[in-house]
Amino acid sequence: MKALVLEDLARNFGGLPAVDGIRLEAPAGRITGLIGPNGAGKTTVVNMITGLLKVTRGRIKFGDDDVTEADATQLARIGIARTFQNIRLISDATVLENVVAGFHRHETTGTFANLFGLPSAQRERRALEDKAMILLEQFGMTGLARHPAGGLSYGHQRRIEMMRALAMDPALLLLDEPVAGMNDSEAHSLADIFRNVARRGVAILLIEHNMRFVMSLCDHIYVLASGRLIAEGTPDAVGRDPRVIEAYLGA
Ligand SMILES: Nc1ncnc2c1ncn2[C@@H]1O[C@H](COP(=O)(O)OP(=O)(O)OP(=O)(O)O)[C@@H](O)[C@H]1O
C-alpha cells in the first residue's frame, strides 16, 4: 500500500520561510490531518504536493514515485487528486457534466472519435455518466444531475468538487478545507463519505479549520505553526498538547 511521504519539505517566499523543513506520512487507507492556525503553511504544503509551487528544499514521494518535480498530468496519472479552498467548477455545465469531466484520466477513446461523435465515444460517455450517477447517489445529489452547477448552493458546489476529485479514482486525495461554510449535519454526511473512501484503500490528507471535524475524522494529525511541525499524534494526544493549545491561542 502506498503512502505520501514528505521529507524535509521547505518553501521560501522572498527569502522568508513559509514552510520550514517538515516531514509527514499519509498512508493508504488512513485519514491524516494537517492543521494549524492561519498562515501556518498548510496551503503552501498542498500546493507543493500538487505541483502548483516549486519546493525550495526537500522531497515529495508517493509510493515508489518521487513526485517532487511532477506536473499536473503526471500527478493525475499516478492518482493524486485534490479539492481547492476556492471552488473551481464549470458553472454553465450540469452537475453530471462536471463530474464526468473528472473521469477525463480514464477516457480511452481518442480525440478523433470524440470529435466526430463515433459510437465508441458515445458508448464510453454513457458508461462514464453511469459511473458519475453512482457518485451522485453517494453524495445525495441524484435529483440535481441535470441542473447547472453554477446555480447551486455553496454546500452542493463543494460536493460536486469532491465528486470530481473522486471520479479520478485517486490513490491519494488531498482535501483543502472540504467543510468550510457547511453546517454540522452537512459536514457529518461528508465525514461518512470520506471514511468509506479511506476504507477502500485511498490515502487522504485533510486540511481543515473545523477542529471538531478534524478530531472526529482523522487517524493521525500533524500540526503546523509558522511553517514548522510543532506536534503530531492521535487526535486525543494533539488536542491535549500544550504546544498546540498555545499555537492556537496565540494565533
Ligand atoms: N504566493 C505567496 N507569496 C508570498 N507569501 C506567501 C504566498 N503564499 C503564502 N505566503 C505566506 O506563506 C505563509 C503560509 O501561508 P499559507 O497560505 O500556506 O498558510 P495556511 O496555513 O494555509 O493559512 P490559512 O489557514 O489562512 O489558509 C503565510 O505567511 C503567507 O502570507
Side-chain angles (χ1 to χ4, degrees):
M1 286 288 212
K2 288 182 179 183
L4 169 76
V5 176
L6 309 180
E7 293 173 358
D8 189 30
L9 194 65
R11 167 74 199 203
N12 294 348
F13 289 112
L16 293 173
V19 173
D20 196 3
I22 67 157
R23 58 166 188 81
L24 175 151
E25 190 168 343
R30 296 285 163 85
I31 303 178
T32 305
L34 180 61
I35 65 170
N38 286 334
K42 306 176 296 290
T43 301
T44 303
V45 170
V46 177
N47 285 342
M48 284 191 278
I49 299 169
T50 52
L52 289 181
L53 277 176
K54 288 208 174 312
V55 310
T56 301
R57 189 178 77 235
R59 307 309 302 170
I60 304 167
K61 292 175 182 163
F62 187 56
D64 293 332
D65 294 303
D66 187 318
V67 295
T68 315
E69 314 283 341
D71 62 23
T73 316
Q74 290 163 324
L75 292 169
R77 203 179 311 126
I78 289 165
I80 298 181
R82 79 172 286 180
T83 63
F84 289 88
Q85 241 176 52
N86 306 313
I87 297 171
R88 300 179 178 195
L89 297 176
I90 316 163
S91 47
D92 291 339
T94 65
V95 173
L96 188 63
E97 286 164 343
N98 267 281
V99 179
V100 165
F103 287 115
H104 186 60
R105 183 168 84 99
H106 287 312
E107 273 180 52
T108 52
T109 320
T111 317
F112 180 81
N114 279 316
L115 268 179
F116 293 97
L118 295 182
S120 57
Q122 286 172 9
R123 261 198 311 276
E124 191 165 320
R125 179 153 192 99
R126 268 199 300 275
L128 293 183
E129 285 186 359
D130 289 348
K131 280 169 76 178
M133 285 307 289
I134 295 172
L135 277 171
L136 260 68
E137 207 176 317
Q138 280 175 20
F139 279 79
M141 287 186 63
T142 317
L144 295 170
R146 308 281 167 193
H147 280 249
L152 295 175
S153 72
Y154 178 78
H156 280 132
Q157 293 199 12
R158 291 232 69 122
R159 271 180 254 186
I160 300 170
E161 227 214 321
M162 281 168 230
M163 287 189 277
R164 269 211 316 198
L166 284 174
M168 275 181 62
D169 197 14
L172 169 67
L173 181 60
L174 303 160
L175 297 168
D176 197 353
E177 302 210 20
V179 299
M182 287 190 183
N183 63 35
D184 276 355
S185 91
E186 285 176 318
H188 193 74
S189 68
L190 279 182
D192 286 341
I193 291 171
F194 296 151
R195 278 193 200 97
N196 279 328
V197 170
R199 219 169 278 142
R200 278 186 262 144
V202 176
I204 295 184
L205 182 62
L206 171 71
I207 288 122
E208 183 53 63
H209 274 292
N210 182 331
M211 279 305 232
R212 207 156 8 136
F213 188 74
V214 173
M215 293 291 176
S216 67
L217 194 57
C218 291
D219 299 294
H220 195 90
I221 296 175
Y222 291 83
V223 189
L224 281 185
S226 305
R228 288 173 185 272
L229 191 64
I230 58 160
E232 69 164 296
T234 60
D236 263 3
V238 159
R240 277 187 272 108
D241 193 314
R243 288 165 300 186
V244 178
I245 296 164
E246 194 191 321
Y248 272 90
L249 290 180

